[in-house]
Amino acid sequence: MTTAHQPQGAPGETRPGGRTARTREAVLAAVFEELGAGGFAGLTMEKVSQRSGIHVATLYRRWRSIEGLVCDLLTELSADVPLPDTGTLPGDLRALARSITAFYGEPRMRRLIEAVVSAAARDPQVATVLRSFFGERLALAGQMVERAVARGELPAETDPEQVMSALGAPFYYRILIARRPVDAALAESAATAVWAAARAGAYPREGHGPADDATGP
Amino acid sequence: MTTAHQPQGAPGETRPGGRTARTREAVLAAVFEELGAGGFAGLTMEKVSQRSGIHVATLYRRWRSIEGLVCDLLTELSADVPLPDTGTLPGDLRALARSITAFYGEPRMRRLIEAVVSAAARDPQVATVLRSFFGERLALAGQMVERAVARGELPAETDPEQVMSALGAPFYYRILIARRPVDAALAESAATAVWAAARAGAYPREGHGPADDATGP
DNA sequence: AGACTAACGCGAGCTTCTTCGCGTTAGATT
DNA sequence: AATCTAACGCGAAGAAGCTCGCGTTAGTCT
């Protein structure tokens, strides 16, 4: 869980509840606020230092760079989107899509993911953390799909992680590429689309080709 | 077409075929190569200057920043993915998905889009250019879907741009978030998924809700 | 061909970013 | 309570990034 950048900070380290943890909290809060205020463009060590009251040298010592800070913030805000269990996959997909919409409805969170992706483009270590971070979340969310397959809602050869990728993809496209706010319509569209596509066998496990009904209606 | 950063450079300006155009060509080529070599992480004005043989001051004068350079490069490489017309929408979707795969199959191009998104997170002007750039391409690609609607392959209330967004989204998710290379399987999956989802009415125009078959099989 | 001007090269100078050494503080240890 | 050490504050020094003014070059215009 601890990033490669910071020698200490996560619970279970040498100074668990003490000064170290306090400064980390203060710093990450400052990064988050600064990010919400000015985006990644206006994010600088100097500002984080001023807002948090922590000296710049300390920031460089523990996090090495802005990228490291953003990266650490990402891992901190991990457990914010819980997995639904409504009993049916379309219900679950819809619920999750709405959760994601609520999450990224806040400009702060869009700024955060923007910053993380931007940081990953510059720092290979951040890229690694980002990949494994989403990898874990994807594997976790995949359980939702596995239940659906067990219930017989989807073909047995369906790849759970691909389904969940397909659910998330429209949001990140909207945020990073189209650069428009996410809304309820996107959530409905994403959930409906993934459900239809998954039923059509568009997300097969490796080895199985996709069900080829793509030759006409 | 001209970015907000550079006073000259695009064809039709004051010094069309002369030194200005040559330096721009040399500089953008240098940026591209440097990007392919070290990614956005290793991209610096100094290196671009050295590789292109153009003085640093000139780079700052014309492009103002690294972000401006990357932004200009994006607009330069715009017309590289032609629109297919196979006669059927599933055929078109598949062909386009394969084109996109070929395009982003090159690490260089993944680096480029990474750099562009990263630059947009820092520079609001780049963000604007990025949005309008993809907006235009989306509108253009939407014609593919309009033809399909006219042929009766899709519901009349289908929103062309949403369909095309949905086709592109998986690629950008793969590149920027999952951080794994794009492959043929992704192309097939994306094309198949969008086709199934579009037929199910998952991409309605504003005002029409998505066709609600999301309550169970 | 000659005059005119936009764009470039050059290097100095400024700002911002980043690191380092040393003394101090907070928390753990016994 | 006394000791011991990791983490922090502080300021200075070094490096990198960025701007500016001036002279030169290349392309245009008459």
Side-chain angles (χ1 to χ4, degrees), chain B residues 1 34 38 62 68 78 105 149 155 164-165 176 182 197 205:
Chain B
M1 279 296 176
E34 206 67 51
R62 281 186 63 176
S78 61
V149 172
M164 297 315 302
S165 297
L176 299 171
V182 297
R205 290 182 195 276

Side-chain angles (χ1 to χ4, degrees), chain A residues 8 19-20 23 54-55 58 61-62:
Chain A
Q8 277 85 11
R19 184 167 54 162
T20 301
T23 61
I54 303 298
H55 199 270
T58 301
R61 265 194 289 258
R62 281 186 63 176

Side-chain angles (χ1 to χ4, degrees), chain B residues 87-145:
Chain B
T88 68
L89 183 60
D92 284 355
L93 290 171
R94 213 172 195 181
L96 185 53
R98 286 175 178 174
S99 290
I100 298 174
T101 299
F103 187 77
Y104 286 123
E106 294 184 45
R108 288 181 157 194
M109 294 304 175
R110 290 201 298 275
R111 296 274 171 82
L112 174 64
I113 193 66
E114 251 188 88
V116 169
V117 170
S118 182
R122 305 187 179 225
D123 189 334
Q125 296 188 3
V126 176
T128 303
V129 172
L130 177 59
R131 182 170 53 227
S132 65
F133 176 78
F134 274 93
E136 284 175 23
R137 291 199 65 77
L138 223 55
L140 198 68
Q143 298 173 357
M144 218 173 77
V145 180

